[in-house]
Amino acid sequence: MTDISCKLLVIGAGPGGYVCAIRAGQLGVDTVIVEAAKPGGTCLNIGCIPSKALIHAADEFHRLHEFSEKAPMGISASAPAIDFDQTLAWKDQIVSRLNSGVSGLLKKAKVRLVSGQATVLDGKSVRVDSPEGSHTIHAEMVVFATGSTPVELPMLPFAGPVISSTEALALTEVPKRLAVVGGGYIGLELGTAYAKLGAQVTVVEASTRILPQYDKELTAPVSARLSALGIEVLADAKAMGLSAQNELLVETKAGQRALAADKILVTVGRRPRTTGWGLEKLSLTMDGPFIKIDSTCRTSMSGVYAIGDVTGEPMLAHRAMAQGEMVAEIAAGHRTEWDRRCIPAVCFTDPEIATAGLLPAEAAAAGIETVSASFPFQANGRAMTTEREDGFIRVIARADNHLLLGLQGVGAGISELSAAFALLIETGARLEDVAGTIHAHPTQSEALQEACLRALGKAIHV
Ligand code: FAD
Ligand code: NAD
């Protein structure tokens, strides 16, 4: 047993924890980070990165497949083949490059990385057990960045054909029939990828439509594409369990269905990782299942902070990173607090959905009088040249002073516009600012300018 002392101790090296530790190290704070698995957390190892790699591979394969069936633009191809082992190896090599990258950055910032599972002893110390030995680490300030895990349904525990996103990202072959329980972010991203790789996919969604957190207008192009890809969506449907033949039993409004499936992917949300590491000893104030934090990410215990998925929605990597950076500044003695105006979100479906700020219904619920307009990609030259005219960009602004409150878009490759959406809200831009900015032609971003022009009653191209 060795004793380690430091100023800042971070538990968990996901996007929240590793960003916090690197920034603290850069600021000269003596920092230790403990990680039970691999640096990078859920996002880098079993989440954002491998899922986006799989989505990209599936897109490329599907495109070739389309070329082999018809010859758009005069381009034809013979039926493509896929060596899925090689696809997985390519994905794993991206993950491992990023693992080394994070470890290298921690080292460069003079952060000590301790491998092993941390168990809380009190608000200032933890014990870490690893195959190499045990350590007790004492710190002046502790940050919990332990992340989240997939929610398991009692009638469909993860075993046999029933898998979580983690297993779905490491399948050795493309399942012939894939049933997805939960038509949210993960279910639709991975369900679409597997459909493009050749699986017959059925999505079972408890709500009346997919991605229920967004309005119907925004999700309609995604629904249309799911249907074009041959993905069946059973909405307003409940997964009841498995039959003796391992079929997925589903209760729908039209009666019970038994879905034959080689794999059943359950993606009904994620829960914060708050048990199994001694957190209960501290009796921290909780916010439902999450650790309650204030605007500085401080918990109810002095010197104890929490960041990332363990602190609540939205469970997104970039939120965790922004919180991590802020807490590092606090550890270095800077005065700062959370004053971000928006956390953008991207759903990597086909087409992608990007949002920042308020949805129309949220603005209405807040009692704000707004002006709103959208511009369809059907009227955007760039969209025509890339053969993706589905989707639109929508803007919502205050009616009185035209301050932008919300920007949303659905369209192929629209994820890259999320930065513009967030920047406009964060910098307090108005409709006139976007309308008066020259947008390069021909680009998808012209639809953003046109949506603002339209909200001002000055649209040119519709
Ligand atoms: P995590 O990334 O979960 O990291 C927590 C770390 O803490 C883990 O490495 C864990 O091993 C470690 N740990 C936990 N307890 C202990 C302990 N006691 N001792 C030592 N170590 C411990 N978000 C996006 O923004 N964009 C996306 O495209 C996206 N795609 C996703 C796709 C999938 C399939 C999944 C599952 C998630 C996706 N997410 C995405 C969500 C994103 O992964 C999380 O929001 C993000 O990883 C949260 O970061 P975190 O640092 O809070 O926790
Ligand atoms: P989710 O909350 O996005 O979707 C879960 C879906 O399951 C919802 O539509 C819900 O109505 C449905 N559902 C719940 N219980 C059900 C049941 N019993 N039967 C059928 N449907 C049911 O959750 P997720 O897809 O598991 O993703 C978890 C989190 O991970 C997301 O909320 C997000 O924060 C993060 N994530 C982000 C990205 C991204 O940023 N692109 C990608 C993947 C995951």
Side-chain angles (χ1 to χ4, degrees), residues 15 43 48 314-323 338 340 343-346:
C43 177
C48 326
M315 290 198 230
L316 296 173
H318 41 279
R319 169 178 174 266
M321 292 187 203
Q323 289 178 319
W338 188 264
R340 310 298 171 100
I343 301 168
V346 173

Side-chain angles (χ1 to χ4, degrees), residues 11-17 34-38 40-49 51-52 116-119 145-148 165 169 186 189-190 270 273 276-277 307-310 315-318 320 346 348:
I11 300 174
V34 186
E35 173 53 57
K38 285 188 187 159
T42 302
C43 177
L44 204 158
N45 294 293
I46 50 169
C48 326
I49 298 297
S51 64
K52 268 79 243 178
Q117 169 84 13
T119 305
T146 52
S148 63
S165 55
L169 289 167
I186 302 180
E189 288 186 4
L190 295 184
R270 294 180 60 83
R273 201 189 270 113
W277 49 278
I307 57 176
D309 284 7
V310 78
M315 290 198 230
L316 296 173
H318 41 279
V346 173
F348 291 84

Side-chain angles (χ1 to χ4, degrees), residues 47-48 51-52 148 150-151 153 155 165 180-189 204-213 234 237-239 266-271 309 313-318 344-349:
C48 326
S51 64
K52 268 79 243 178
S148 63
V151 167
L153 291 174
M155 64 294 203
S165 55
V180 178
V181 180
Y185 273 79
I186 302 180
L188 294 183
E189 288 186 4
V204 177
E205 167 57 49
S207 180
T208 50
R209 56 191 170 77
I210 54 158
L211 293 167
Q213 68 269 47
L234 302 177
K238 272 202 199 94
V266 177
T267 52
V268 294
R270 294 180 60 83
R271 72 168 88 253
D309 284 7
E313 300 278 1
M315 290 198 230
L316 296 173
H318 41 279
V346 173
C347 192
F348 291 84
T349 39

